[in-house]
Every structure is written in structure tokens, then in C-alpha cells.
């Protein structure tokens, strides 16, 4: 059963639009079109037709659906969204995360809301719901549900609840049982969602981005979690993945989830780490993950980044070209798309295939899909022009959510009205009949039959199920037999031994996983694992073996890992290198001596996986431990390195770790090794950087010579300059200024400017301004950017403008604002005389400009090819589009670029609504600096700001006196002013282009 609880409306968030401001109110219809008119606006793919299954008032704000064993459609209606009832907000942060006055008690004691779960039934079989009954109401931001175990599981953060209905009369037997407590509830966009039964009988769920869960001591924001009903075990299956929304499993049981990343799907594997919005959500909870997976690579047209609520179609009814394809809602684009899943080593790529459904109606908001017992595809339509709430701090800016609309659409093959393909009422069928349904062409039947068999645990079926699993002729039947045997309690060591030799890779993969779920392998199975580690040909099996090794105790895991690290070809796999690192990392401290023993032989260091993935991360892991044992392990690694290049890479890794974590006392033995290396004729830049951090006396003069040496690689010189800036020495100033006077690359000069930032020396400002006319154009804004960071340098800059030595136009308005933050009355008065009082344009002025640009665009056609060059010049400094440009501001590829009113509003008035993760900050340091920028990285020890000129500044937290969000966008106003009318048309032609394959 696809109990997909794609809830929380999670991907409808600020995290994917350009600024998520919505539409100008005057341009919007105030009410939804009738279901009949909405139907007329939807165009579907060839061979498929559409009908309305249900609409308001029968269903309102549907976010999650599930068919029961009788073929009735259960619908969760999220009518309370977005604010919980009965709780008082006490604080809202810059990311709209809300704190409430208390943790609500679970139902029925806590405050009641307007959410409900209803049961819709098509009595006469015409493909449209005839009646509805309410199973449960009064829920308060209930964001997901699943049917099973004679009841209903409901996610209503902070709880996972179970409502029993043992007599199946569609009335809860009593108050719910609280199964879990601790899901985050700071933001209804990101609540726990997508309750889905896995092939292994666990109940899987997702949690989105802007909430924090702490469940049984496990803390996480976004990720995939799971709960085992019989044993009451809870696990975080995988961490990260964006504002995750929607879970489905393919025919081999691979887990895919949608959300608001810039690709349609994440392929989640056990124990892995996935990308997060790190500036907004903080780091991964394992600080030594030292890497993460991105969503699966997407090829071809995407449409927008909102792709939650997907389904891997396995209904056996649609045209063959749609079979086993990912059909995903494209929420922002009022569309549904189809992507083909292709293998890419141990993971997948997605490839755009076709549009499944397109609507001209901006109220069409598909948020959840599932396949019914008839093989048709059902889509829940949120039906609201407003797809995200904006800041609760300013409700006057909201476009009121429509809580009384909602539709369920039914997609069928053209000219058909399919009926259920086998008997319904599965709960009443004998177990033997359920076993027969496991191989049904419509996966709804196999999933539902497996769920019921897992609840019954009927021993009489086990021999048949084991025979199915062991049969070699039909992989689907073998997998279904394996899964059903496991959920029925018949999976044992003898069966596992045989299945590990099964010809189907998927069967072997799942056998490895099910053994590993117990976190220890019997001796006979461990011996086979060792054999597979060296001989297994299939990358998916090897992927799961690496995931399983992480779960096993060190004495079992490390021999497996060591053999897998010998497979050189896996160094090019998208997943396997990091999976093996995470398995090593899990044992790095608990089994330190055994981990280091794997590296005793010099030949081991020549293996690509060890050389390129493991050893540098291991050095960082031990350096980050910041203990005597950790430093001893670092020293041992450096000694074990069989040649100087590897040794230098290890030292560079230790240095990289110390850039984001602090060191109290340099380790003596490693310091001695570095001292000896400093005496050599040629000292590697990595050695110099670490020696500078260790404050070894011989390091500074050699480092200063190196940064001035044009024969040394530019990247190495820049790295040294960054280290010099992090550990300032007054004697560096003259050498750094001399470097700026030379004919060196702008990148090195930029790094030298950044290295000058910690110094208060007033001569720096004088020197830089004296040479201002000599700087190349790309460097001048960086020079002025450095000068405005300190009050004394700012005064020197203002004096130069006042005396006519420098044009006022050379200083950007954002830099003028930065000087005002020094709060020096005399300086402020001089600034206002030169630049006037800096006030943003009025709303009326901006609306006039929006209207004027719109009229210009309407008067002619633009050339997208010419527009691309304009985009890269004016926008690409901060934004990416179709993979080109810088990643400072939002990636424009997945935003609502087709909607001209939204696009114009965000370009002309960038401060109107700023996406939370792109709020700029002002840092004030204890040595008098004021620095603006986006929060590019945040660790317990450091904060990194990224300014609009792509300059990064890393500040130790203990040096920051204040870190405050700015009220204006880092994106400058009037960015369109230099463009001619035709250039405006060209720019917007490219910004709004599809770039279809």
C-alpha cells in the first residue's frame, strides 16, 4: 500500500521561490474556479484522460491519501495549516521558525484543530466519490497518516499517534496511543510527513527542513526516519535531503523521496547523509560526515524545484512508456511531470520524459499522488493560489489561505473506466490468497497483501513464501517472497545463507540489509559478507554492504570494509566512496587501533579509495577529536604515509580541520615533525599552513616568501594568504601591501586584501587609497569593501571622496550603509553630506518601476542568446541559471520564472520579501570590524560570511560581539537601470526561457 502521507505541505516553502512573495493581489482570482472549469484547464499526456474523483465540500485541503483494503480512499485534510490552534507564539526567528508557549498534550487533551481524516467511497463504480464519512476530526496540524494494524497511524507533531479501530467500524476505539514524541513543530511547512510502509514492514516517514526533532536522544532536522511497530524501535534512516516531502519505493525496494531540491528525487540509502541548506539549517549532526550526497542527477527539463508527492508508477495499467516511471507533481508550475529512472553505478539519474499534466489554472496545486486498486493514478490538489505562507511577523502581507477548496483527480487510460483488478476486502481473505496477490501486476495489491501478512505473521504461509524467495526465475516474485517471509517472522540464518547466493542482485541486496538491521551478523553470514566484499559484482549490493558494515560492531565491520576498499573501480561510483568512509568513521574512535592497522602496509595507500577518500578524512576526524589520543592518531597517520605527497595531503587535511575547529595546544610530536619539514629546501604549502597555525617560528618568513613567489601555484598562495589572515602577525602588513603593488593575478590580490582585514593599522587605508586608480576594475569594489569594514579606514575613504580624490560613485550604496553601521556620529554626518540620507525607494516608486518595465517588455521580443550574456554580467555574479553563474543568491533555475509579475517584483524590489536562507547578516567583531554577508557556513567554532562580491570571511565565534540579520537584501536595487529597453527584453527572454532538451 502506498500510504504516502506527503504532508505538511512541506515543499510549498520559502526555500524554493526567488523570494516567495506570491503574486500581486490585484492580479489574482479571489476564488477557485469550479471543478468543471478547472478540469477544462488541465491538459494530460497522450493515452491518458482525466476525471474529477472528488471536490469541495467533500474534500478540503487534501495533502495525503491512502486506499484501504476495501478500495475506499482515505484523505487527510490539512485545514488547520499553517498555525496550530490553542498555542501562543513566543518567538519567531529569521527563518520563520516559531516557538510556542508550551508543548501541546496529545489528543484528546491538547487543543483541537480543524484537520480531519475522511473516507471517500465510489459506490456505483463510475470513478467519482459518492459519499464521505469522517473517521477523525479535531486534529491540530496533523501532517501524515497510514493505515494498518487495525487502526490509523497519525503524525501530529510532536507526536506519532495510533488510533485503534479493531472492529473496523470506521470509529476510533478510544484515545490514541502515543508511539513517539519529539517531532519538530516550529514550521508547518516542514512537519513530519509521508508515512509509508516499507517492503520490510517498517513505517517510514520524512521530516522537512525548518523543524528540529529530538526523539529518544536522536536529534535531526530533515531526513528519513522509520518506526517498527512490533518492536517499537525508532531509527533515523538517512539525514538531510532538503525539505523532504513524499516517499515511494521502486520495484527493487529502493527508497526515493521528493521535496524542494533542484532535482526531482533523492535516492536515500541506509545511514547516509544528504545535502542540507547548511547556512539556514546548520551542519549535519555528525560533524565528521565530511561529505554528503546530492539528489540524483537530473537530465533535461525540470520545470521547478517543488517536486514532492511523487509516485513510481507500478499500477500495470498505463501505456508501457509510463511503467516504472517517476510521476511527480511540479507544484509551482501547476503541472505534473514524468521522469525516467536510469542506473548510475549504485544510484540513479532522472531523465525528463514528458509532461504528464499541465494546467493554465494557477489554483491547480497537485501535492500527492498514489496508485489505486484499479491501477489509476490519483492526485490530491491543494487548490490554492497561495502556495506558502509568508512571515508570521507581518500577517498583513499574507494572501489568505483558501481552506475550503480541494480536489482529487483520477487519471486513467483513454476511453476506460478501470475497476479494481482483483477482489477487495483483503483483510478477510485467507493468507493463502494474500500470498497469490504478492505477484499481482498492480503493486497496490502486493503492498497491501504484504502489510496484512506482516500483521498476521501466519506461520502456515512460510514454506510457500520461502520457496518464492528462493526461486530464481522471477526476480519480482523472489523479492516479494523475501519481504513477506521477513515481515511474517520466517527470515532465519539458513534462509539468509541461501539468499546471499541468489542470482538476483536485488534479493542479495535486501538479504544483506535485513541481516544488518539486527546490528550483528551470525558467524556464517559474516563469512559470506567477507566473500561478497571481495567478489560481489553488483554495485547496489556493494552499496548496501557498506551501509550494513556501518551498523555492525567493529570486529565484524572492519574486515568487510578493508576488503571493499581494495575494489579500485568503486572510487568512481557516485555513492560507494562516501558510504565506505562513513563506515570507517563510525569505527574510527571505538576501534582506533584496528582502523590504523588497515594502513600499516604501504601498498594500502596506493588504493584509490584509501588514497583519495579515506586517509585525509581520517586525519580530519582525529584532528577534530581534539584529544591526546586523536593527535597521536594524526601523528601515526603522518608517519605511516609512504611518500611525501601523501604526507603533505594529510597535513593539509589537518589544517583544513583546524580552519573550522579550535586547537588549545599544538601537539608536541606533530610539531616536531613539522619543524623538521620546515628545514627542508622545499616546503609544501600545506606544511607551511599547518605550521603557521601551530605558531612555529620558522613558518612565518617562509610563508611570506611563498606568497610572493610567482612560481608557486596560485591556489597554494591563496591558501597561505587565508591562513595568514586567520592568524595575524603585525610584521605581515608591509609584505601584504607590497604584494598588492606587484603585477599579480586579481585572485591573489583579492586574497591579500582579505588577509589584511584583521589589522587595525591606519596606514593600510592610506596606502590602498593612494593606489586606488591603479587597481583593475574587478578589484576596486573589493578594495572599498575592505576599507568600509573598519571605522578608521572608512574615515580615510570618506575623506578621499570629500577631497575629490575619489568619486562618490566608486563606493557602492551597500558599502555606504556598511560604514553607517560603525555608529560614529561625525562619520555619519559626513556620509550624509556626500551621499544623502540613504532611504530605500518607496513602495509607490517600485510599483511604478515594475509597471514601466512590464510595458517595455510588452513592446517587443527579446533575444534569449543576447540575454544570457546580460544575465551573466548583471545577475550571474550572485545567481545561477541552468548551471552557470555563482551560488551566492538563489538558483534561478527552479523558481517561478514564467510568472512575469513575480519575476519583476523580485528583481525591482528585492527587499520586499527575502528568502530566509538569503538573509544577510552584519557581524561586529571585538577588534572593530563590521562585515556584511550571507551566512555561508556556521560551526560551533566559526561563522563564515559571503558578500555580494563572492568574498568569504571566516570569523571565530569568540571574536564576534554581535551577529544580526540585516533588514535589506544583499541584492542591490536599481539593477535594471543601466539597461536599454531592448536589453531588458533580451534579459527577461533568457530569464523566462525553458532550456528544454
Amino acid at each position: 500500500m502506498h500510504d504516502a502521507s506527503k504532508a505538511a505541505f512541506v515543499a510549498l516553502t520559502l526555500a524554493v521561490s526567488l523570494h516567495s512573495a506570491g503574486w500581486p493581489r490585484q492580479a489574482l482570482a479571489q476564488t477557485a474556479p469550479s471543478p468543471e472549469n478547472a478540469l477544462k484547464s488541465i491538459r494530460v499526456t497522450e493515452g491518458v484522460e482525466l476525471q474529477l474523483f472528488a471536490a469541495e465540500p467533500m474534500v478540503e485541503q487534501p495533502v495525503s491519501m491512502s486506499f484501504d483494503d476495501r478500495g475506499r480512499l482515505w484523505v487527510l485534510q490539512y485545514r488547520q495549516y499553517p498555525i496550530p490552534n490553542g498555542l501562543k507564539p513566543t518567538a519567531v526567528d529569521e527563518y520563520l521558525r516559531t516557538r510556542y508557549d508550551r508543548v501541546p498534550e496529545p489528543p484528546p487533551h491538547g487543543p483541537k484543530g480543524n484537520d480531519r481524516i475522511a473516507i471517500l467511497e465510489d459506490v456505483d463504480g463510475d470513478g467519482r466519490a459518492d459519499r464521505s464519512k469522517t473517521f477523525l476530526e479535531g486534529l491540530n496540524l496533523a501532517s501524515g497518516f497510514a493505515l494498518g494494524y487495525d487502526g490509523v497511524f497519525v503524525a501530529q507533531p510532536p507526536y506519532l499517534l495510533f488510533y485503534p479501530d479493531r472492529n473496523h467500524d470506521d470509529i476510533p476505539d478510544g484515545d490514541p496511543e502515543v508511539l513517539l514524541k519529539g517531532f519538530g513543530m516550529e514550521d508547518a511547512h516542514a512537519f513530519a510527513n509521508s508515512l509509508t510502509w516499507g517492503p520490510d514492514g517498517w513505517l517510514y516517514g520524512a521530516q522537512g527542513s525548518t523543524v528540529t526533532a529530538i526523539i529518544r536522544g536522536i536529534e535531526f532536522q530533515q531526513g528519513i526516519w522509520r518506526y517498527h511497530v512490533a518492536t517499537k524501535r525508532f531509527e533515523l534512516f538517512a539525514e538531510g535531503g532538503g525539505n523532504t516531502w513524499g516517499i515511494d519505493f521502486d520495484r527493487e525496494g529502493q527508497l526515493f523521496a521528493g521535496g524542494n531540491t533542484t532535482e526531482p528525487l533523492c535516492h536515500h540509502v541506509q545511514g547516509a547523509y544528504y545535502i542540507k541548506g547548511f547556512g539556514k539549517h546548520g551542519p549535519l549532526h555528525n560533524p565528521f560526515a565530511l561529505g554528503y550526497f546530492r539528489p540524483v542527477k537530473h537530465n533535461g527539463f525540470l520545470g521547478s524545484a517543488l517536486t514532492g508527492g511523487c509516485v513510481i508508477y507500478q499500477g500495470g495499467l498505463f501505456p508501457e512508456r509510463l511503467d516504472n516511471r517517476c510521476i511527480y507533481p511540479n507544484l509551482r508550475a501547476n503541472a505534473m511531470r514524468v521522469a525516467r529512472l536510469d542506473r548510475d553505478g549504485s544510484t540513479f539519474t532522472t531523465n525528463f520524459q514528458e509532461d504528464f499534466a499541465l494546467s493554465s489554472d494557477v489554483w491547480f496545486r497537485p501535492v500527492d499522488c498514489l496508485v489505486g486498486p484499479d491501477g489509476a493514478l490519483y492526485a490530491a490538489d491543494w487548490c490554492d493560489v497561495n502556495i506558502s505562507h509568508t512571515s508570521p511577523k507581518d500577517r498583513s502581507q499574507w494572501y489568505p489561505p483558501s481552506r475550503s477548496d480541494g480536489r482529487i483527480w483520477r487519471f486513467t487510460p483513454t476511453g476506460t473506466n478501470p475497476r479494481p483488478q482483483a477482489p477487495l476486502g483483503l483483510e478477510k481473505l485467507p493468507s493463502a490468497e494474500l500470498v497469490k496477490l504478492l505477484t499481482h501486476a498492480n503493486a497496490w495489491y502486493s503492498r497491501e497483501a504484504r502489510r496484512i501478512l506482516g500483521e498476521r505473521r501466519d506461520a502456515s504461509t512460510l514454506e510457500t513464501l520461502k520457496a518464492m524467495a528462493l526461486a530464481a526465475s522471477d526476480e519480482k516474485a523472489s523479492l516479494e517472497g523475501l519481504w513477506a517471509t521477513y515481515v511474517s517472522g520466517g527470515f532465519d540464518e539458513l534462509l539468509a545463507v541461501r539468499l546471499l547466493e541468489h542470482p538476483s542482485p536485488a534479493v542479495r541486496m535486501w538479504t544483506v540489509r535485513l541481516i544488518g538491521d539486527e546490528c550483528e551478523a551470525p558467524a556464517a553470514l559474516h563469512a559470506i559478507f567477507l566473500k561478497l566484499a571481495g567478489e560481489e559484482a553488483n554495485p547496489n549490493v556493494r552499496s548496501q554492504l557498506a551501509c550494513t558494515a556501518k551498523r555492525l560492531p567493529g570486529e565484524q565491520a572492519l574486515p568487510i570494509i578493508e576488503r571493499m576498499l581494495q575494489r579500485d573501480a568503486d572510487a568512481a561510483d557516485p555513492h560507494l566512496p562516501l558510504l565506505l568512509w562513513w563506515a570507517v568513521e563510525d569505527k574510527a574512535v571505538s576501534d582506533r587501533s584496528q582502523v590504523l592497522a588497515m594502513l600499516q602496509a604501504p601498498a594500502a595507500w596506493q588504493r584509490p579509495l584509501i588514497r583519495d577518500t579515506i586517509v585525509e578524512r581520517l586525519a580530519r576526524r582525529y584532528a577534530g577529536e581534539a584529544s591526546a589520543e586523536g593527535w597521536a592518531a594524526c601523528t601515526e597517520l603522518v608517519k605511516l604515509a609512504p611518500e611525501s605527497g601523501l604526507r603533505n595531503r594529510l597535513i593539509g587535511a589537518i589544517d583544513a580541520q583546524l580552519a573550522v575547529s579550535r586547537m588549545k595546544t599544538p601537539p608536541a610530536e606533530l610539531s616536531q615533525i613539522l619543524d623538521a619539514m620546515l628545514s627542508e629546501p622545499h616546503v609544501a604549502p600545506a606544511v607551511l599552513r599547518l605550521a603557521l597555525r601551530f605558531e612555529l617560528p620558522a613558518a612565518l618568513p617562509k610563508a611570506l616568501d611563498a606568497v610572493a613567489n610567482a612560481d608557486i601555484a596560485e591556489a597554494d598562495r591563496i591558501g597561505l594568504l587565508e591562513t595568514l589572515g586567520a592568524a595575524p602577525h603585525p610584521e605581515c602588513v608591509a609584505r601584504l601591501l607590497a604584494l598588492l603593488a606587484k603585477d599579480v593575478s586579481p585572485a591573489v590580490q583579492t586574497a591579500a586584501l582579505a588577509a589584511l582585514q584583521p589589522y587595525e593599522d591606519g596606514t593600510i587605508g592610506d596606502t590602498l587609497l593612494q593606489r586606488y586608480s591603479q587597481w583593475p576594475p574587478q578589484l576596486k569594489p573589493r578594495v572599498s569593501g575592505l576599507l568600509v569594514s573598519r571605522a578608521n579606514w572608512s574615515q580615510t575613504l570618506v575623506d578621499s571622496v570629500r577631497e575629490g580624490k575619489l568619486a562618490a560613485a566608486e563606493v557602492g550604496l551597500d558599502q555606504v550603509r556598511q560604514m553607517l553601521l560603525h555608529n560614529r556620529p561625525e562619520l555619519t554626518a559626513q556620509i550624509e553630506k556626500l551621499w544623502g540620507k540613504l532611504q530605500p525607494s518607496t513602495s509607490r516608486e517600485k510599483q511604478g518601476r515594475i509597471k514601466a518595465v512590464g510595458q517595455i517588455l510588452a513592446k517587443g521580443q527579446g533575444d534569449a542568446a543576447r540575454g544570457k550574456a546580460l544575465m551573466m554580467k548583471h545577475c550571474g555574479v550572485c545567481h545561477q541559471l541552468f548551471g552557470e553563474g555563482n551560488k551566492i543568491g538563489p538558483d534561478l533555475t527552479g523558481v517561478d520564472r514564467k510568472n512575469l509579475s513575480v519575476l519583476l517584483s523580485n528583481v525591482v524590489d528585492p527587499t520586499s520579501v527575502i528568502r530566509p536562507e538569503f538573509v544577510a547578516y552584519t557581524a561586529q567583531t571585538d577588534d572593530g570590524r563590521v562585515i556584511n554577508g550571507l551566512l555561508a557556513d556556521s560551526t560551533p567554532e566559526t561563522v563564515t560570511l559571503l558578500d555580494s562580491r563572492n568574498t568569504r570571511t571566516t570569523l571565530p565565534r569568540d571574536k564576534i560581539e554581535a551577529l544580526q540579520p540585516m533588514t535589506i537584501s544583499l541584492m542591490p536595487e536599481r539593477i535594471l537601470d543601466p539597461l536599454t529597453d531592448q536589453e531588458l527584453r533580451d534579459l527577461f527572454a533568457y530569464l523566462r526561457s525553458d532550456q528544454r532538451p
Side-chain angles (χ1 to χ4, degrees):
M1 181 197 304
H2 182 64
D3 289 314
S5 167
K6 315 293 194 303
F9 205 32
V10 291
L12 323 180
T13 88
L14 302 166
V16 289
S17 67
L18 186 59
H19 290 298
S20 201
W23 293 259
R25 292 174 184 245
Q26 66 272 17
L28 298 174
Q30 297 296 309
T31 58
S34 68
E36 293 73 23
N37 286 335
L39 178 61
K40 294 175 184 177
S41 75
I42 302 172
R43 177 169 54 87
V44 297
T45 191
E46 182 182 358
V48 176
E49 66 182 24
L50 178 65
Q51 69 179 119
L52 180 71
F53 181 78
E56 67 276 359
M58 185 178 286
V59 60
E60 298 171 346
Q61 305 292 192
V63 292
S64 178
M65 305 180 293
S66 182
F67 279 97
D68 65 16
D69 73 294
R70 295 154 60 182
R72 302 178 304 169
L73 183 63
W74 295 54
V75 183
L76 173 60
Q77 300 173 52
Y78 204 36
R79 304 190 306 159
Q80 184 61 45
Y81 169 87
I83 304 297
N85 192 37
L87 301 181
K88 180 180 178 182
T90 58
V92 180
D93 73 6
E94 65 271 25
Y95 299 122
L96 308 186
R97 292 180 289 221
T98 304
R99 293 182 183 177
Y100 296 100
D101 57 341
R102 59 195 172 94
V103 175
E105 294 182 86
H109 308 292
K112 291 180 171 55
N114 293 309
D115 298 334
R116 67 186 177 203
I117 297 175
I119 308 170
L120 311 185
E121 189 170 6
D122 175 10
V123 178
D124 57 12
D126 65 350
R128 183 159 183 165
D130 302 297
R131 63 189 182 198
S132 171
K133 69 167 68 172
T134 297
F135 173 79
L136 195 59
E137 59 186 349
L139 295 169
N140 197 11
L141 287 185
S143 51
F145 81 107
L147 308 177
Y149 286 86
D150 295 321
V152 182
F153 297 83
V154 176
Q156 180 175 293
Y159 304 105
L160 176 65
L161 307 169
F162 177 67
Y163 285 88
D165 179 20
R166 295 179 179 86
N167 60 1
H168 295 253
D169 64 354
D170 300 331
I171 300 172
D173 296 340
D175 295 345
E177 177 186 356
V178 176
L179 303 178
L180 296 172
K181 177 182 178 181
F183 289 104
M185 57 181 302
E186 301 98 310
D187 185 353
H189 286 114
F191 273 16
N193 64 91
S194 305
L195 304 190
T196 307
W197 293 109
D200 51 8
W202 288 69
L203 183 62
Y204 287 76
Q207 182 173 273
S209 56
T210 37
V211 298
T212 297
I214 305 177
I215 300 171
R216 299 180 183 175
I218 300 173
E219 180 174 333
F220 64 100
Q221 285 87 40
Q222 48 212 261
I224 302 294
W225 53 270
R226 64 178 187 166
Y227 176 78
H228 194 270
V229 177
T231 62
K232 301 187 183 302
R233 289 163 63 188
F234 172 82
E235 292 183 356
L236 179 61
F237 184 79
E239 183 184 352
N243 205 6
T244 307
W245 179 33
I247 292 173
D248 200 8
F249 295 87
D250 73 0
R251 287 175 176 167
E252 295 182 358
Q254 299 279 5
L255 191 160
F256 295 92
N260 64 355
T261 54
T262 52
E263 294 85 2
L265 293 176
C266 274
H267 171 214
H268 287 275
V269 297
Q270 192 173 34
Y273 300 95
Y274 292 79
I275 190 170
K276 297 172 64 178
F278 297 109
K280 178 178 179 180
H281 308 298
L284 293 160
H285 282 76
N286 179 359
F288 302 111
L290 301 178
Y292 53 82
F293 294 151
R294 294 193 60 84
V296 295
K297 181 182 178 181
H298 183 69
N299 300 305
F301 178 67
L302 175 61
S304 82
L306 291 178
T307 57
C310 64
V311 64
I312 312 296
Y313 182 77
Q314 300 165 67
L317 190 67
F318 282 169
E320 186 177 354
R321 74 178 195 281
L322 299 174
D323 190 49
N324 211 36
R325 299 299 193 265
C326 177
I327 301 175
Y328 57 92
N330 219 172
L331 182 71
R332 180 171 295 283
N334 315 111
M336 298 168 65
R337 318 281 187 189
V338 180
R340 188 183 72 249
L341 286 164
D342 290 339
R343 294 190 182 278
D344 181 16
S346 65
T347 183
F348 299 83
T349 63
T350 54
N351 300 270
F352 176 76
Q353 178 172 301
E354 61 194 273
D355 294 321
F356 187 77
L358 294 173
S359 178
S360 58
D361 171 21
V362 295
W363 288 73
F364 176 61
R365 303 294 188 182
V367 295
D368 184 25
C369 296
L370 84 163
V371 177
D374 55 2
L377 181 72
Y378 292 76
D381 179 359
W382 178 258
C383 193
D384 195 343
V385 72
N386 181 28
I387 63 170
S388 78
H389 67 255
T390 50
S391 173
K393 300 175 182 178
D394 185 7
R395 299 190 183 190
S396 66
Q397 296 301 312
W398 290 17
Y399 188 88
S402 173
R403 293 192 175 92
S404 59
D405 302 299
R407 285 87 195 259
I408 307 291
W409 302 102
R410 181 178 185 246
F411 296 86
T412 62
T414 302
T416 69
N417 177 30
R419 304 300 300 274
Q421 300 169 32
L424 294 175
L426 276 64
E427 291 276 6
K428 297 180 180 180
L429 292 180
S431 297
E433 293 299 314
L434 294 177
V435 171
K436 294 178 182 178
L437 290 175
L438 292 174
T439 55
H440 197 282
N442 182 353
W444 179 86
Y445 281 96
S446 57
R447 294 179 179 191
E448 188 71 0
R450 187 191 324 124
R451 176 188 66 79
I452 298 170
L453 287 170
E455 294 172 15
R456 290 182 184 176
R457 295 176 74 84
D458 185 347
S460 69
T461 64
L462 292 179
E463 290 307 312
T464 302
L465 293 174
K466 289 180 180 180
M468 283 179 60
L470 291 167
S473 58
D474 184 341
E475 182 179 70
K476 174 178 170 57
S478 297
L479 274 173
E480 291 291 349
L482 168 57
W483 292 331
T485 299
Y486 180 77
V487 300
S488 298
F491 184 77
D492 56 28
E493 183 176 339
L494 291 175
L495 178 64
V497 168
R498 297 180 66 184
L499 290 175
L500 287 173
E501 297 177 351
H502 198 282
S504 163
V507 171
R508 298 197 301 275
M509 177 189 75
W510 267 98
T511 304
V512 171
R513 175 159 155 188
L514 296 176
I515 295 167
D517 275 356
E518 301 309 313
C519 299
E520 190 168 3
L525 297 178
H526 182 252
I528 301 175
F529 280 1
L530 285 172
K531 184 173 182 289
L532 291 174
E535 300 176 6
E536 173 58 54
N538 184 270
N540 293 105
V541 183
R542 299 200 300 275
S543 170
Q544 182 57 56
L545 191 58
C547 296
T548 292
K550 180 182 175 184
R551 298 173 64 91
L552 298 176
E555 65 270 17
Q556 290 193 331
L558 290 171
I560 296 169
I561 296 166
E562 187 170 13
R563 289 198 184 185
M564 294 188 73
L565 290 172
Q566 310 308 308
R567 189 182 290 268
D568 297 347
D570 282 347
D573 187 87
H575 274 189
L576 275 161
L578 277 177
L579 288 176
L580 287 166
W581 159 244
W582 293 328
V584 170
E585 189 278 327
D586 190 74
K587 317 302 176 191
V589 174
S590 62
D591 299 86
R592 192 190 312 268
S593 60
Q594 294 90 333
V595 169
L596 292 172
M598 293 194 303
L599 303 173
Q600 292 293 329
W605 291 72
Q606 302 309 316
R607 293 292 189 183
L609 282 165
I610 293 176
R611 182 188 66 226
D612 299 331
T613 300
I614 302 299
V615 290
E616 290 175 72
R617 286 181 170 87
L618 193 58
R620 290 195 63 172
R621 176 65 182 86
Y622 287 136
E625 186 183 339
S627 69
E629 295 81 3
W631 284 119
C634 283
T635 304
E636 179 72 10
L637 281 172
V638 172
K639 289 179 176 179
L640 286 172
E643 44 95 3
S644 60
L646 282 167
R647 185 167 59 249
N648 292 337
R649 285 170 58 181
L650 289 174
I651 289 171
I654 295 169
D655 175 71
Q657 183 60 39
L658 293 180
V660 296
S661 61
R662 306 301 297 276
M663 174 183 59
K664 293 182 179 180
T665 305
E669 189 175 3
L670 190 54
S671 295
Q672 292 170 5
I673 293 174
L674 289 173
D675 242 338
M677 296 172 77
L678 287 173
S679 65
E680 297 173 358
H682 301 287
V683 183
V687 174
L688 283 175
R689 291 199 304 271
L690 188 57
L692 285 170
R693 294 193 197 280
F694 280 18
E695 299 181 350
L696 300 181
L700 183 60
K702 287 181 177 290
L704 290 173
D705 289 343
V707 297
N709 187 346
D711 293 332
I712 292 178
E714 182 178 278
D716 290 330
R717 297 167 73 190
I718 291 171
L720 280 168
L721 286 165
E722 290 173 350
T723 306
L724 287 168
H729 302 274
E731 56 266 44
C732 291
V733 172
R735 298 288 295 273
L736 292 173
L737 288 173
L739 180 64
L740 287 168
K742 293 184 178 181
D743 184 19
V744 298
S745 72
V748 172
Q749 290 185 316
T750 297
L753 286 169
L756 284 167
Q757 203 176 75
Y759 302 98
E760 301 181 51
D761 191 337
T763 62
I764 293 174
D766 295 332
T767 304
L768 293 177
L769 282 168
Q770 287 169 7
R771 302 173 184 165
Y772 194 86
S773 61
Q774 304 169 22
W775 303 118
Q778 67 267 38
L779 207 60
K780 287 181 178 180
R782 299 185 186 277
V783 173
S784 54
L786 172 64
L787 293 176
V788 301
S789 68
R790 289 190 178 276
N792 59 333
W793 297 345
S794 295
Q795 184 64 64
T796 304
L797 176 63
V798 169
D799 290 344
S800 294
V801 175
R802 188 161 44 84
E803 295 165 6
K805 299 176 182 177
L806 184 69
E810 294 275 7
V811 185
L813 291 182
D814 58 329
Q815 295 175 339
V816 177
R817 290 190 179 97
Q818 191 170 340
M819 289 192 290
L820 292 171
L821 294 173
H822 292 297
N823 292 320
R824 300 286 181 90
E826 184 178 348
L827 178 63
T828 297
Q830 294 173 11
I831 289 171
E832 290 181 351
K833 285 183 180 179
L834 293 169
W835 286 278
K837 286 186 176 291
L838 295 189
Q839 296 178 344
S841 302
T842 67
S843 177
R844 177 170 295 183
E845 289 170 333
K846 291 171 183 173
Q847 288 299 320
R849 180 59 171 155
I850 290 171
K851 183 177 180 180
V853 174
Q855 291 172 343
I856 292 169
L857 297 179
K859 290 180 179 179
Q861 296 295 317
D863 184 295
R866 292 196 302 262
K868 178 179 179 180
L870 291 166
M871 184 272 169
M872 295 306 299
K873 177 180 178 181
H874 295 279
C875 313
V877 176
C878 291
H879 298 282
Q880 276 203 346
L881 180 58
F882 306 125
E884 298 182 73
N886 287 322
K887 292 184 177 181
I888 299 175
D891 188 328
L892 305 184
T893 310
V895 306
D896 194 13
R897 294 177 290 108
K898 291 291 187 181
N899 191 315
L900 182 59
S901 60
V902 172
L903 197 56
L904 279 173
S905 176
N906 288 311
V907 174
V908 175
D909 189 9
T911 296
S912 60
V913 179
I914 305 171
R915 281 177 51 181
E917 64 269 44
F918 295 104
V919 169
Y921 282 79
T922 295
Q924 295 177 303
T925 66
D926 60 4
D927 63 355
R929 283 179 284 170
V930 173
I931 300 166
N932 293 340
L934 299 176
L935 191 62
D937 197 11
S938 175
T939 75
E941 303 287 349
T942 62
V943 168
T944 300
L945 297 180
L946 177 67
D947 71 15
S948 60
R949 293 160 186 85
N950 213 14
T951 298
R952 286 177 177 265
T953 303
T954 298
L955 301 170
R957 283 190 179 273
D958 59 7
K959 298 294 184 182
I960 299 175
E961 291 188 342
L963 183 67
Q964 299 292 334
M966 297 171 61
T967 58
I968 60 173
S969 172
L970 205 62
M971 178 177 169
E973 294 183 3
R974 301 186 178 277
I975 196 170
L976 300 180
D977 286 6
L979 303 182
T980 66
D981 288 2
Q982 186 56 49
E983 286 175 331
L984 282 172
R985 288 190 281 268
D986 295 342
L987 173 63
F988 276 84
Y990 181 62
L991 288 176
R992 302 178 73 201
S993 63
D994 272 347
Q995 290 288 298
R996 287 178 181 267

